Amino acid sequence: MMATMGRFLMALETEGPGGQSLLGSIKIAVLPIVKVFTMCALGLLMASKYVNILPASGRRLLNGLVFSLLLPCLIFSQLGQAVTLQKMLDWWFIPMNVVLSSIVGSIIGFIVASIVRPPYPFFKFTIIHIGIGNIGNVPLVLIGALCRDQNNPFGDSLKCSTDGTAYISFGQWVGAIILYTYVFNMLAPPPEGTFDIDNERLPIKSTPVKTDVAPEQTPLLAQEEGDTEGDNLVSSSASGKSKIKVILALVYDKLKLKQILQPPIIASILAMTLGAVPFLKKLIFTPEAPLFFFTDSCMILGEAMIPCILLALGGNLIDGPGSSKLGFKTTAAIVFARLVLVPPVGLGIVMLADKLGFLPPDDKMFRFVLLLQHSMPTSVLSGAVANLRGCGREAAAVLFWVHIFAVISMAVWIVLYLSILF
């Protein structure tokens, strides 16, 4: 027995892909997930009756702070420093990969939801929590943990960290657009106005009911009432406004640009615009620049985004991870589809793109980040949007279980990716 155990430990310590032992690869994969789970557990403690400094209203305010200030600051500071016009051209497949990941994941989510038939009104919820992976905070923590190790398979620790962070940051702007358009609309409350519906007393017809939505369920940035304001804008032309102004205002309203142009997306546009112009980049984003104090302030605020959002989501588990209305079958299907079904498809997409010459040659970190985008657990930010939309309890339960099982799945996928790349 002791001899068998000794051989097992020696096998774990044997160098594998990139000079990394199997035990070391598993540690790199598991550590970031454990950190996320730990911060969620602390949020749960803060929301408990024993501490009670993070009640429901406080969690909603914390979510609002993240979306309005902390996340935009993180995107602006990281993306602005990393991007140049040439890099935007070379890295074009990163945002494309995020879009493909969302499309493929949503298709798998639709198929799984059609099979398991989640309880009403969580069909679209199921699709989103399978289709939208974490392309920001968990990969950033993962890359940070990986590159801090001097024996990491990617070489120099500083270059490893700089390149990995830049690639991940460049993908976040399209992720923010998907989050605030596709995810925000897919998680809209049902016609009854709330997700808290008694399935035994569902109406035969879905009749819209006006209800007073609780503050925790009110979106931070509410949608415009398109038809009403459209009529007002048309009628206002009779009061002397120019036709061009009325037409532009009507287009703005009908396209829901106010909903699309949320703070994170504005921050992404500004970062790419300023970073692509050499003079402005040197003026704002370089350490010796006269305006670098603004970027540095954004970096300090951005570092608070991950812990704040994880504390708020952990607090939503105050009633326990089993308190959601999804049921065991739907929750298990989401976890299985997100962690087991989506990554192999993503691996196929990246390998095909490599064979077609879409990826920069001999850049293993670039390929590793692309693979991570398909292999992450459900997005924490989509859970935050769910909280704003009124289904935060169910989102928190899904995030709880998906991150627990991601400890195992991430270890397996990362070991596989390192063996393929090296």
Side-chain angles (χ1 to χ4, degrees):
M1 182 68 180
M2 293 298 294
T4 303
M5 182 64 70
R7 286 195 297 270
F8 176 72
L9 292 175
M10 288 180 63
L12 289 179
E13 291 296 337
T14 301
E15 287 193 355
Q20 189 81 11
S21 69
L22 179 60
L23 191 61
S25 299
I26 294 174
K27 179 181 177 182
I28 289 171
V30 170
L31 188 60
I33 306 297
V34 174
K35 289 179 181 179
V36 170
F37 183 72
T38 301
M39 285 185 275
C40 286
L42 291 174
L44 175 62
L45 176 64
M46 295 299 102
S48 67
K49 63 180 181 179
Y50 303 104
V51 181
N52 198 30
I53 64 173
L54 203 60
S57 58
R59 296 195 296 273
R60 181 181 176 273
L61 292 174
L62 195 57
N63 275 319
L65 180 66
V66 168
F67 278 95
S68 299
L69 179 64
L70 302 184
L71 178 59
C73 285
L74 180 68
I75 292 175
F76 179 81
S77 59
Q78 290 186 342
L79 184 57
Q81 292 182 90
V83 76
T84 63
L85 184 58
Q86 184 59 46
K87 286 181 178 179
M88 289 172 64
L89 297 176
D90 293 340
W91 298 352
W92 68 271
F93 194 77
I94 293 178
M96 177 62 68
N97 191 59
V98 175
V99 174
L100 291 174
S101 174
S102 300
I103 292 174
V104 170
S106 296
I107 292 173
I108 294 175
F110 178 80
I111 295 172
V112 171
S114 300
I115 295 173
V116 302
R117 295 175 181 251
Y120 179 84
F122 294 104
F123 188 88
K124 293 181 179 179
F125 175 96
T126 302
I127 295 174
I128 288 298
H129 282 76
I130 293 174
I132 306 300
N134 193 318
I135 62 168
N137 46 12
V138 172
L140 284 172
V141 176
L142 177 64
I143 292 296
L146 172 67
C147 295
R148 272 195 294 269
D149 189 346
Q150 296 295 328
N151 297 321
N152 77 81
F154 295 97
D156 180 68
S157 295
L158 180 60
K159 186 178 187 303
C160 170
S161 178
T162 302
D163 291 348
T165 301
Y167 297 154
I168 294 169
S169 299
F170 189 64
Q172 288 193 44
W173 68 270
V174 69
I177 294 176
I178 292 173
L179 185 76
Y180 277 100
T181 53
Y182 173 60
V183 175
F184 192 85
N185 283 285
M186 284 285 282
L187 293 181
E192 291 78 10
T194 177
F195 284 89
D196 294 326
I197 300 173
D198 188 349
N199 288 329
E200 296 179 358
R201 293 198 295 268
L202 281 176
I204 297 176
K205 285 179 139 189
S206 296
T207 306
V209 178
K210 292 183 180 179
T211 59
D212 294 329
V213 183
E216 306 84 53
Q217 299 174 353
T218 306
L220 173 66
L221 297 168
Q223 299 185 41
E224 298 286 327
E225 295 292 339
D227 295 337
T228 303
E229 293 204 8
D231 295 339
N232 292 338
L233 290 169
V234 173
S235 62
S236 66
S237 62
S239 64
K241 287 188 176 181
S242 66
K243 290 183 179 180
I244 296 178
K245 187 175 181 180
V246 172
I247 291 173
L248 290 176
L250 185 59
V251 170
Y252 177 88
D253 176 70
K254 290 298 182 182
L255 293 180
K256 303 294 183 186
L257 292 181
K258 185 175 181 180
Q259 178 185 328
I260 296 174
L261 295 176
Q262 303 285 11
I265 298 177
I266 295 173
S268 300
I269 295 172
L270 283 175
M272 287 188 292
T273 303
L274 298 175
V277 180
F279 171 74
L280 295 176
K281 187 179 182 71
K282 291 181 180 179
L283 187 66
I284 300 173
F285 293 112
T286 55
E288 299 81 14
L291 298 180
F292 184 73
F293 69 89
F294 180 78
T295 302
D296 197 27
S297 300
C298 288
M299 291 170 63
I300 294 171
L301 288 171
E303 289 174 355
M305 188 278 290
I306 295 175
C308 284
I309 200 66
L310 292 177
L311 287 174
L313 288 168
N316 289 330
L317 287 172
I318 189 62
D319 295 325
S323 63
S324 76
K325 296 183 178 181
L326 292 176
F328 172 79
K329 182 174 69 172
T330 302
T331 303
I334 292 174
V335 172
F336 180 80
R338 180 65 234 174
L339 300 180
V340 178
L341 300 183
V342 174
V345 181
L347 177 60
I349 292 174
V350 175
M351 298 296 288
L352 178 62
D354 195 12
K355 288 187 178 296
L356 295 175
F358 292 162
L359 310 183
D362 301 324
D363 192 338
K364 298 184 184 299
M365 176 58 77
F366 191 94
R367 289 159 175 75
F368 186 65
V369 169
L370 294 179
L371 292 169
L372 287 182
Q373 289 176 339
H374 293 279
S375 310
M376 294 291 104
T378 301
S379 171
V380 172
L381 292 178
S382 69
V385 171
N387 188 47
L388 292 171
R389 287 305 227 170
C391 50
R393 183 173 56 186
E394 285 73 22
V398 168
L399 290 171
F400 178 88
W401 291 116
V402 80
H403 278 88
I404 286 180
F405 287 100
V407 173
I408 301 173
S409 69
M410 282 293 299
V412 174
W413 290 118
I414 287 180
V415 170
L416 175 63
Y417 295 156
L418 292 178
S419 66
I420 292 173
L421 292 173
F422 294 93

